[in-house]
Amino acid sequence: MASANTSCSEENFSCTICLDVFNSPVSTPCGHNFCRTCINNFWDEKLEYKCPLCNELFHTRPDLRVNILLSEMVDRFGTSVRVKEQPWVEPGEVPCDVCPGTQLKAVKSCLVCLISYCQTHLEPHQRVAVLKKHPLVEPIDRLEDRMCEKHDRILELFCKKEQVCVCLLCTVTDHKSHPVVPLKEEYEVKTAQLGKIEAEVPQMIQKRKLKIKEINETVGLSKKDADKEIADAGQALTALIGCVEKCLNDFNQMVKERLKSTENQAKGLIKGLEQEIVDLTKRMSKVKQLLHTEDHLHFLKAFGSLKDPPPTRDRTTLAVRPPSYEGALGKYLHQLKETLDMEMKKLPGAELKRVQKYKGDVTLEPRTANYWPTGSRWELE
């Protein structure tokens, strides 16, 4: 039963035209009640004046008067109904500046009144002719920031020389000889500039992606070169005896360390490029978000930090230098020769004579000839 009574009460306090709680309820001569705005709009669209409920015809447009009793009842009961239908203000949202006590979420901000309104308190701006001329925008927090601190007047112009927002009085004082334009005009200019930046950022990202690909290819080729060097060294050193295994292991370790150094260098460069991509992507997101705002002041204040691309390093000459192995194998072979000479001196006399039987020149393959030190003609004596 309680539920039924509540439903009935809400219907009794609702306008049958807008189906919402009465707003400035008035009564027609036939005794029915409507919102003043609803019934006036209803009759404005008709050629004759009838009651929307009973269709009673009035020869002249009735003189509507406020239903005082119903208005008082709506103030007591209808407020709770409207509050139930309208959203409460959440953290980060703009509250209504007119709501007493607990504030509702604002739906519009007036740039003339410098006040944010919920749907209920916005009604005069939708009904009163003078208030209808006030420009309404999406809810804006801290409307006082739109006032000139020096003259306490609304900021509606932009000084092109000093790149700041000014009021009308500023143009005859501090900015008297400066070129000024309306905020909207400068907004359109800056929007065009920001649009150009938005088009350039993807190209900058693409260039860095190509550079990453180029670096990865260089590292891949360096790996192949390193593998080939290791294989060639293995082929040369496996022909030797005694300390060949140690020489080969030492050489491989050197090559891998140089390759690791190259890879670390490449990783550092890639990390820097990837971070620039992240920064540029975030910047593009901010640019897109700013391009969709209708708040001229917020746009122009934020534009300064976004109009120029973020400082980045010149990546056009960026490259990874492959490690060099020239002369490296010769160094290890020279050490190996000295080791072998020392080991040969330890051989017994009979064994030494047997080795001297195979005395001769060491013939190198053309490709590996440059690895041997100058004058390294191996003659076992």
Side-chain angles (χ1 to χ4, degrees):
M1 293 297 293
S3 176
N5 289 338
T6 301
S7 175
C8 177
S9 298
E10 291 180 2
E11 292 178 0
N12 291 337
F13 289 108
S14 298
C15 171
T16 55
I17 297 178
C18 67
L19 303 180
D20 201 353
V21 177
F22 283 117
N23 188 0
S24 299
V26 294
S27 299
T28 60
C30 59
H32 293 119
N33 300 302
F34 307 95
C35 298
R36 180 186 293 276
T37 302
C38 293
I39 189 63
N40 282 329
N41 291 340
F42 179 81
W43 281 340
D44 287 343
E45 298 173 357
K46 306 294 182 182
L47 297 177
E48 53 186 5
Y49 308 115
K50 287 184 178 182
C51 173
L53 281 178
C54 64
N55 288 326
E56 180 176 342
L57 179 63
F58 308 113
H59 297 292
T60 59
R61 186 162 182 158
D63 183 16
L64 300 174
R65 298 193 176 185
V66 176
N67 189 323
I68 299 176
L69 177 60
L70 185 58
S71 294
E72 293 177 352
M73 295 176 69
V74 166
D75 288 340
R76 295 178 182 177
F77 178 80
T79 301
S80 63
V81 176
R82 283 194 295 270
V83 167
K84 186 168 60 178
E85 293 175 350
Q86 295 188 52
W88 298 104
V89 63
E90 299 291 341
E93 295 179 336
V94 180
C96 174
D97 295 325
V98 183
C99 285
T102 304
Q103 295 173 302
L104 297 179
K105 176 183 176 181
V107 295
K108 292 291 181 181
S109 295
C110 177
L111 297 182
V112 176
C113 304
L114 297 180
I115 293 177
S116 298
Y117 299 98
C118 64
Q119 188 60 52
T120 300
H121 294 117
L122 183 66
E123 186 273 336
H125 279 74
Q126 298 172 332
R127 171 173 51 85
V128 180
V130 175
L131 297 179
K132 284 183 177 180
K133 297 179 181 179
H134 290 187
L136 300 176
V137 297
E138 293 302 310
I140 302 174
D141 198 12
R142 297 183 58 82
L143 281 167
E144 61 272 14
D145 291 344
R146 294 183 165 274
M147 300 297 292
C148 176
E149 295 181 358
K150 185 173 183 179
H151 302 112
D152 198 29
R153 297 192 62 170
I154 189 169
L155 298 169
E156 53 186 332
L157 299 170
F158 185 80
C159 175
K160 297 181 74 67
K161 180 179 180 179
E162 298 189 10
Q163 295 290 298
V164 293
C165 298
V166 297
C167 71
L168 192 59
L169 287 180
C170 289
T171 61
V172 295
T173 55
D174 299 341
H175 301 264
K176 183 176 181 180
S177 59
H178 298 175
V180 296
V181 295
L183 290 181
K184 183 178 181 181
E185 181 177 331
E186 188 64 19
Y187 165 84
E188 293 172 351
V189 173
K190 293 293 193 292
T191 299
Q193 295 178 8
L194 215 56
K196 182 179 179 181
I197 294 174
E198 181 187 24
E200 293 174 350
V201 168
Q203 298 178 5
M204 297 174 67
I205 292 176
Q206 185 60 29
K207 287 181 179 179
R208 281 151 180 78
K209 287 182 177 180
L210 291 175
K211 183 58 69 174
I212 289 175
K213 181 180 179 183
E214 178 183 334
I215 292 173
N216 284 328
E217 289 175 351
T218 301
V219 172
L221 293 174
S222 297
K223 276 189 174 183
K224 291 181 179 179
D225 290 343
D227 293 340
K228 189 167 184 61
E229 291 293 334
I230 292 172
D232 291 343
Q235 182 179 356
L237 294 175
T238 51
L240 305 176
I241 58 176
C243 299
V244 173
E245 190 67 30
K246 182 180 182 303
C247 182
L248 179 60
N249 291 337
D250 291 346
F251 180 83
N252 289 349
Q253 183 64 29
M254 177 277 298
V255 172
K256 290 178 179 179
E257 287 177 356
R258 293 188 184 181
L259 175 61
K260 185 65 176 178
S261 177
T262 300
E263 291 177 331
N264 290 338
Q265 180 189 4
K267 287 180 181 178
L269 294 175
I270 291 174
K271 183 177 180 181
L273 289 167
E274 288 175 340
Q275 182 60 47
E276 289 188 12
I277 290 175
V278 171
D279 295 341
L280 289 169
T281 302
K282 289 180 180 179
R283 187 178 186 85
M284 183 168 63
S285 176
K286 291 181 180 179
V287 168
K288 287 186 177 180
Q289 182 179 2
L290 193 58
L291 282 172
H292 288 86
T293 182
E294 297 179 0
D295 180 356
H296 300 165
L297 181 61
H298 171 68
F299 175 90
L300 293 174
K301 283 187 173 183
F303 176 83
S305 62
L306 294 175
K307 65 177 181 178
D308 298 322
T312 57
R313 294 176 57 187
D314 182 11
R315 303 295 184 180
T316 57
T317 59
L318 193 64
V320 175
R321 180 176 297 176
S324 174
Y325 306 97
E326 184 176 357
L329 181 57
K331 175 183 176 182
Y332 282 89
L333 290 176
H334 183 73
Q335 294 175 355
L336 179 59
K337 176 182 178 297
E338 293 179 348
T339 302
L340 290 174
D341 287 341
M342 292 177 61
E343 292 296 324
M344 289 179 61
K345 290 179 181 180
K346 298 178 183 179
L347 293 175
E351 191 68 13
L352 179 59
K353 292 179 180 179
R354 189 177 67 82
V355 173
Q356 287 177 342
K357 180 180 179 181
Y358 298 97
K359 172 184 174 182
D361 295 339
V362 177
T363 303
L364 300 176
E365 294 181 1
R367 185 183 181 280
T368 58
N370 63 315
Y371 290 133
W372 295 82
T374 303
S376 61
R377 182 179 182 182
W378 283 20
E379 296 182 352
L380 307 182
E381 298 178 350

